[in-house]
Amino acid sequence: MKASYNALRALLIVANIASPLAGHAAAPPTHDLPSPQISKALDALLLPVNKAVIKKFKLAKGEHGVLVLSVKKGGVADKQGIKPGDVLSEVHGHKVHKAVDVDVAVSRDLKAGKSDIALAVLRDGAPVAVAAVITLEEYNEAISVTEVSSWESDTSETSFSYSEYVSEETQTIESSYESEETTVEEAMTQEESSSDEETSDEASDDSSEDDGGDDAGDDDGGGDDSDGDSDG
C-alpha cells in the first residue's frame, strides 16, 4: 500500500514539473510565409518576396524585392505615398531582397550626404515613381515595436490576417529590430572593405604595368651598353 502511494506521489510530482514546461513551448507558425522585418528607413514592415508571398498576395509572377506589409501612420513610407501591398525592388539602382538591404542602401546615401532617395516601386504590377526624402533624424528615430500590430496594412487579401501573422512573428520582429543597427553597420563595413580591396587591386595592376615599362626600358639600355663594350 505504501509503495503504491509513493509511486502515485512520484507521478504527480513529475506531472507538476512537466506541465509548466509544456505551457512555454513555442507554437509552430500557422503560415508558410517568411519572417518580416522593420525598415527603420521607411517606418514600414517589409516581407521578402518569394514564391509563397507571390502566391498568397497574388503578385505578378517573377516579381522580386520586398513587399510592404504595413506602414506606420505619419512615418516615412506613409508620407512618401508608399502603400501596403507595394513591392519595392530597388533603392537608387541597388536591388533589394530583404528589409535590411533597404536600410543599408539608405544608410549609404545618408552617409554620403544624400537625402533624396530614388525607389523602384510596383503597385498592382505597374511601376510607381517614388523619390523619397529621408533625413538622418527620421532614420534614427526609434520605433515602438509594440505598435507594429496597429500599423496600416493591406486588407484586400481576406485569406491573410495581419494581426495573427504579426502576433506569431512578434519575437522575430523584436529581435531583428534590436540587431538591425549592428547588421547594417556590418554590411556597410564589408562593402567598404570590398571597395578598398578593389581600389588596392587596381592600383597594384597600374603599378605592375608601370614597372613593366621601366624594366623594358632598362633592358634596352643594357643592350646598348653591351654592344658598346663589344665594339670597344
Side-chain angles (χ1 to χ4, degrees):
M1 185 74 174
K2 186 175 182 181
S4 298
Y5 172 77
N6 288 338
L8 178 60
R9 186 167 179 270
L11 287 173
L12 289 173
I13 292 173
V14 171
N16 288 332
I17 292 174
S19 295
L21 293 176
H24 288 286
T30 59
H31 61 80
D32 59 353
L33 299 173
S35 295
Q37 187 175 345
I38 292 173
S39 167
K40 290 180 61 178
L42 298 180
D43 297 329
L45 190 65
L46 306 180
L47 189 63
V49 174
N50 62 8
K51 290 181 179 179
V53 173
I54 290 174
K55 181 179 180 181
K56 171 64 72 175
F57 295 96
K58 299 178 175 63
L59 303 179
K61 187 176 181 180
E63 282 197 39
H64 67 277
V66 290
L67 174 71
V68 180
L69 201 58
S70 64
V71 298
K72 176 184 176 182
K73 188 174 179 59
V76 174
D78 187 33
K79 289 189 293 186
Q80 302 299 332
I82 298 172
K83 302 179 181 297
D86 287 351
V87 174
L88 174 61
S89 59
E90 293 183 5
V91 178
H92 254 163
H94 295 276
K95 290 184 178 181
V96 297
H97 303 284
K98 50 188 183 296
V100 71
D101 294 340
V102 176
D103 289 359
V104 168
V106 173
S107 293
R108 187 192 304 115
D109 283 348
L110 290 175
K111 189 174 181 180
K114 303 174 184 176
S115 57
D116 295 330
I117 316 295
L119 306 175
V121 177
L122 289 176
R123 182 173 300 156
D124 297 326
V128 178
V130 178
V133 177
I134 304 174
T135 66
L136 186 60
E137 289 73 22
E138 288 174 322
Y139 182 90
N140 289 329
E141 186 176 347
I143 293 174
S144 175
V145 178
T146 57
E147 295 177 0
V148 172
S149 60
S150 64
W151 284 3
E152 180 186 351
S153 60
D154 183 6
T155 57
S156 62
E157 181 46 60
T158 55
S159 66
F160 173 76
S161 171
Y162 174 74
S163 59
E164 290 179 8
Y165 174 74
V166 170
S167 177
E168 290 186 5
E169 294 289 343
T170 295
Q171 187 173 350
T172 301
I173 294 171
E174 289 178 348
S175 61
S176 63
Y177 179 68
E178 290 172 359
S179 62
E180 200 260 4
E181 185 175 350
T182 302
T183 304
V184 170
E185 289 178 354
E186 289 176 349
M188 292 186 67
T189 300
Q190 289 177 355
E191 284 186 357
E192 291 172 357
S193 298
S194 298
S195 178
D196 290 342
E197 287 177 5
E198 288 177 4
T199 303
S200 177
D201 290 342
E202 289 174 2
S204 177
D205 290 342
D206 292 341
S207 176
S208 297
E209 290 175 3
D210 292 341
D211 290 344
D214 292 342
D215 290 343
D218 291 342
D219 290 342
D220 291 342
D224 292 343
D225 290 343
S226 176
D227 292 342
D229 293 340
S230 297
D231 294 340

